[in-house]
């Protein structure tokens, strides 16, 4: 099990390039913290995440 927001490494979705077409960047190396990925996971959670304040 990995920590949410931890990079899986490079993914180019078979484009032949170095850029991840979903994010428009070169993905961080495997194991690196990736805040944008963590935010994306939270935004797209189903069911929607709720927070007590």
């Amino acid at each position: 099990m990995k920590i949410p927001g931890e990079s899986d490494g490079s993914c180019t979705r078979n484009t032949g390039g170095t850029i991840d077409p979903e994010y428009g960047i070169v993905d961080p190396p495997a194991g690196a913290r990736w805040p944008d990925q963590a935010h994306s996971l939270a935004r797209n959670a189903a069911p929607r995440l709720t927070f007590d304040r």
Side-chain angles (χ1 to χ4, degrees), residues 12-24:
T12 61
R13 290 153 177 51
N14 296 318
T15 62
T18 58
I19 303 292
D20 181 332
E22 185 170 334
Y23 293 98

Side-chain angles (χ1 to χ4, degrees), residues 13-40:
R13 290 153 177 51
N14 296 318
T15 62
T18 58
I19 303 292
D20 181 332
E22 185 170 334
Y23 293 98
I25 62 169
V26 174
D27 297 331
R33 186 85 179 118
W34 191 4
D36 289 342
Q37 173 65 353
H39 294 151
S40 178

